[in-house]
């Protein structure tokens, strides 16, 4: 009952927020509900929720930088980009009054829910420790987003996004364990929390299952899912040797009987995710279980949707949120997404032209969620005097590599030899990470702020059966200088400061380089 009340409260948020973070918010609520039992903890939980609603709801409706989903992660029909339509509408008065009523009703029902939770026979089956999670960003080139109608047994991670975005902190090229962890002890009945599946949920809540009624699974059904996962890992994973290693580990776990306690689908999905993460250290590789079946892929945007998409971009100035000249002749550009250059190329040219006489330029990507690689190359091109090799994209599907270069220099551009600074945060994501990483490797810009989110691979959902799918990263960027990418640890700043202090720090660095008069 309490979860339903919280779900109704989430409906007060804008659609873009619910799509990006709704499932993660519910998962955080479930985590706290499991661990915060008793009158005082439960009252504290609801007070926190009401306080968060009062603070975050107005903020989300004031935001002018909705997330743009990238075409590379969401390919559409006939080459058209896939995207989510943006929505910015103020809450209705009736909705706000409903929120107040529901919040008060939730508090009044707390004591009843506490009694129910304390006596429910399954109330202690899951005891995973709550863990702070980052937003799930499923935008840009990092991770495809899940359908808002989807009921997955695995909490979406990010990007995004993210947006969940809880990486292992290791690049998937390094630190991969070749051995299978030792078998864990079995348990039954009320000791189920000690089974491998429950231990997986304790060790890594990011792979924890959504609390849905489990669909029973027998050994033959588990074997079918494992074989499907193994086949996809061997065929598509962007690091073939790691894909083979993970596949071998899954088969070894099954052969030892470590999966025998996972007798329902959602528990089994949790266990598989933890097993894969233990070997790959790749948070974007995961299994999803869809209770109602895997949703059909979208047919592609209609002409009307494309028109609305263009109108939304134009209304939001193509996410060029702020363009201005700061004191000491320092140009400042806050860019919150790398939008489609076919639509936003003229906006980009106008913005850069207004900064053309700057003595230094600052790109603020602290809130940037990624976007189109061609726009990344277009914007980077203003910092070079000739076409420059930025990045390569390796595709495991056809074993091909596509190079990305800056376009021909813009006529009259004066920024190619000016000091450049890029501001980053822990939420700088995907395409914005590529822009930062490319310039860092080329020693063309100084990165100021926090390490970025660390999403460099591109996972694609592949069907195993009608309910299980595996998200397998099958493409990855390869920098021509470092021969690797930012996946895992993120782009490391040259000058590490809190994101809130990044602009002030960059301004000081820029002023220090100016000639003394």
């Amino acid at each position: 009952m309490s979860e339903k009340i919280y779900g109704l409260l989430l409906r007060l948020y804008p659609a873009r927020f619910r799509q990006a973070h709704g499932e993660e918010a519910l998962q955080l609520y479930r985590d706290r509900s499991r661990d915060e039992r008793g009158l005082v903890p439960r009252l504290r939980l609801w007070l926190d929720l009401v306080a968060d609603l009062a603070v975050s709801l107005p903020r989300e409706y004031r935001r002018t930088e909705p997330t743009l989903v990238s075409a590379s992660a969401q390919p559409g029909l006939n080459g058209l980009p896939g995207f989510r339509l943006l929505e910015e509408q103020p809450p209705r008065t009736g909705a706000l009054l409903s929120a107040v009523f529901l919040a008060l009703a939730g508090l009044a029902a707390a004591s009843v829910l506490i009694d129910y939770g304390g006596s429910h026979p399954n109330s202690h089956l899951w005891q995973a420790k709550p863990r702070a999670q980052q937003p799930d960003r499923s935008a840009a080139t990092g991770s495809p987003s899940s359908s808002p109608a989807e009921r997955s047994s695995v909490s979406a991670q990010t990007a995004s996004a993210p947006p969940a975005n809880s990486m292992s902190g290791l690049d998937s090229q390094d630190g991969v364990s070749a051995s299978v962890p030792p078998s864990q002890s079995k348990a039954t009945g009320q000791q189920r929390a000690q089974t491998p599946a429950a231990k997986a949920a304790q060790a890594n809540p990011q792979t924890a299952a959504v609390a849905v009624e489990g669909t029973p699974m027998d050994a033959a059904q588990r074997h079918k899912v494992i074989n499907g996962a193994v086949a996809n890992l061997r065929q598509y994973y962007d690091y073939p040797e790691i894909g083979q290693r993970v596949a071998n580990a899954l088969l070894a776990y099954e052969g030892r009987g470590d999966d025998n306690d996972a007798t329902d689908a959602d528990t089994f999905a949790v266990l598989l995710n933890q097993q894969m993460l233990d070997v790959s250290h790749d948070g974007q590789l995961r299994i999803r279980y869809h209770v109602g079946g895997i949703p059909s892929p979208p047919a592609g945007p209609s002409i009307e949707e494309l028109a609305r998409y263009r109108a939304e971009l134009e209304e939001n100035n193509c996410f060029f949120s702020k363009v201005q000249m700061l004191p000491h002749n320092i140009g400042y550009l806050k860019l919150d997404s790398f939008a489609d250059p076919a639509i936003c190329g003229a906006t980009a040219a106008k913005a850069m032209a207004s900064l053309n006489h700057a003595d230094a330029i600052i790109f603020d990507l602290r809130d940037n969620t990624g976007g189109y690689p061609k726009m990344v190359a277009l914007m980077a091109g203003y910092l070079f005097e000739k076409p420059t090799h930025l990045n390569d994209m390796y595709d495991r599907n056809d074993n091909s590599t596509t190079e990305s270069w800056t376009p021909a220099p813009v006529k009259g551009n004066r920024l190619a030899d000016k000091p450049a600074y890029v501001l980053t945060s822990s939420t700088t994501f995907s395409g914005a990470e590529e822009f930062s990483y490319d310039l860092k490797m080329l020693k063309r810009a100084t990165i100021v702020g926090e390490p970025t989110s660390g999403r460099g691979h591109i996972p694609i959902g592949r069907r195993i059966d009608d309910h299980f799918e595996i998200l397998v990263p099958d493409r990855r960027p390869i920098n021509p200088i470092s021969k690797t990418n930012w996946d895992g640890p993120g782009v490391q700043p040259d000058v590490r400061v809190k994101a809130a202090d990044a602009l002030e720090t960059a301004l000081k660095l820029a002023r220090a380089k100016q000639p003394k008069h």
Side-chain angles (χ1 to χ4, degrees):
M1 181 63 183
S2 58
E3 183 177 326
K4 291 182 179 180
I5 293 175
Y6 185 57
L8 291 173
L9 291 176
L10 285 177
R11 294 183 63 83
L12 297 173
Y13 286 88
R16 61 174 174 78
F17 179 90
R18 297 197 306 272
Q19 291 171 1
H21 308 303
E23 187 62 40
E24 180 187 12
L26 280 172
Q27 185 60 41
L28 289 172
Y29 173 80
R30 295 178 187 117
D31 289 342
R32 289 193 61 179
S33 295
R34 282 195 299 266
D35 291 271
E36 298 185 19
R37 300 186 181 279
L39 178 61
V40 174
R42 192 59 65 92
L43 286 176
R44 183 173 62 243
L45 169 60
W46 276 97
L47 288 173
D48 288 346
L49 294 177
V50 173
D52 181 68
L53 182 77
V55 172
S56 62
L57 186 61
R59 180 187 63 204
E60 288 302 323
Y61 277 98
R62 287 198 302 267
R63 284 175 61 90
T64 59
E65 57 273 15
T67 299
L68 175 65
V69 177
S70 144
S72 61
Q74 298 281 335
L77 188 64
N78 299 325
L80 295 176
F83 55 87
R84 293 188 186 281
L85 297 179
L86 308 175
E87 181 178 319
E88 290 292 342
Q89 297 179 355
R92 300 184 299 273
T93 303
L96 292 176
L97 292 175
S98 298
V100 175
F101 172 79
L102 289 171
L104 294 175
L107 289 172
S111 59
V112 176
L113 295 174
I114 292 166
D115 291 338
Y116 173 83
S119 60
H120 195 278
N122 294 325
S123 62
H124 299 291
L125 291 183
W126 293 95
Q127 295 294 332
K129 296 179 180 179
R131 171 179 168 181
Q133 299 186 18
Q134 295 177 332
D136 181 9
R137 298 177 182 82
S138 26
T141 61
S143 173
S145 59
S146 57
S147 167
E150 169 190 321
R151 292 182 63 201
S152 169
S153 74
V154 182
S155 61
Q157 298 175 8
T158 140
S160 325
N165 177 35
S166 181
M167 295 294 292
S168 64
L170 296 175
D171 192 294
S172 53
Q173 295 183 85
D174 304 312
V176 178
S177 171
S179 61
V180 178
S183 178
Q184 301 182 31
S185 62
K186 307 297 185 292
T188 59
Q190 291 300 316
Q191 293 179 324
R192 182 179 173 188
Q194 298 302 315
T195 65
K199 286 187 176 181
Q202 281 186 317
N204 196 354
Q206 74 181 22
T207 63
V210 174
V212 297
E213 184 177 352
T215 302
M217 290 194 72
D218 58 26
Q221 292 170 317
R222 293 194 301 267
H223 182 69
K224 179 181 177 181
V225 173
I226 291 172
N227 279 349
V230 165
N232 279 284
L233 285 164
R234 289 173 173 169
Q235 183 174 356
Y236 297 114
Y237 194 73
D238 55 0
Y239 289 101
E241 66 282 3
I242 297 176
Q244 182 65 53
R245 203 174 299 170
V246 177
N248 292 343
L250 291 180
L251 293 173
Y253 281 119
E254 182 188 28
R256 282 208 308 255
D258 286 2
D259 304 332
N260 293 348
D261 290 316
T263 56
D264 59 83
D266 50 324
T267 304
F268 184 50
V270 172
L271 180 59
L272 289 181
N273 278 322
Q274 185 61 52
Q275 290 174 347
M276 293 192 300
L277 186 64
D278 286 344
V279 180
S280 70
H281 304 289
D282 185 350
Q284 297 178 93
L285 171 64
R286 58 197 185 274
I287 294 281
R288 279 181 177 167
Y289 171 67
H290 302 265
V291 176
I294 298 175
S296 300
S302 65
I303 295 176
E304 292 77 12
E305 289 172 332
L306 286 173
R308 183 180 175 187
Y309 169 61
R310 179 185 290 271
E312 292 284 358
L313 286 177
E314 293 173 351
E315 181 181 345
N316 288 279
N317 198 37
C318 290
F319 302 101
F320 285 78
S321 297
K322 188 175 293 186
V323 183
Q324 63 184 122
M325 292 298 300
L326 300 178
H328 303 279
N329 203 39
I330 298 172
Y332 174 74
L333 170 62
K334 187 176 191 302
L335 181 60
D336 293 339
S337 181
F338 288 92
D340 185 355
I343 300 174
C344 296
T347 303
K350 181 179 178 181
M352 297 306 292
S354 69
L355 304 176
N356 197 37
H357 294 278
D359 292 329
I361 184 168
I362 297 173
F363 295 91
D364 189 346
L365 306 185
R366 289 175 291 181
D367 297 316
N368 193 297
T369 55
Y372 286 71
K374 288 186 177 180
M375 180 62 96
V376 171
L378 175 66
M379 296 301 297
Y382 285 90
L383 301 180
F384 297 95
E385 294 179 343
K386 60 181 181 180
T388 302
H389 189 187
L390 293 175
N391 185 48
D392 296 330
M393 182 62 72
Y394 170 72
D395 190 335
R396 171 77 189 277
N397 293 281
D398 56 7
N399 197 33
S400 65
T401 301
T402 304
E403 295 183 350
S404 174
W405 289 67
T406 61
V410 178
K411 185 177 180 180
N413 175 50
R414 299 183 179 184
L415 298 172
D417 62 346
K418 301 297 171 61
Y421 303 86
V422 179
L423 311 185
T424 61
S425 73
S426 61
T427 58
T428 301
F429 185 67
S430 193
E433 294 181 277
E434 185 203 330
F435 183 88
S436 306
Y437 191 83
D438 293 345
L439 297 183
K440 177 181 174 72
M441 291 298 105
L442 289 163
K443 301 187 185 301
R444 182 57 191 89
T446 301
I447 313 300
V448 182
E450 300 170 343
T452 61
S453 61
R455 290 298 182 95
H457 297 187
I458 303 174
I460 299 297
R462 299 185 181 277
R463 178 186 293 264
I464 295 176
D465 60 20
D466 290 341
H467 293 273
F468 280 92
E469 70 172 336
I470 183 170
L471 274 67
V472 182
D474 60 1
R475 288 166 288 168
R476 70 176 187 270
I478 303 175
N479 184 271
I481 298 173
S482 69
K483 305 302 181 184
T484 183
N485 58 54
W486 59 91
D487 190 76
V491 182
Q492 299 300 308
D494 300 303
V495 181
R496 185 165 181 166
V497 296
K498 292 181 180 179
D501 300 327
L503 177 57
E504 181 181 355
T505 302
L507 288 171
K508 290 179 180 178
L509 293 171
R511 289 195 295 266
K513 280 194 173 184
Q514 291 179 333
K516 307 298 181 183
H517 297 291

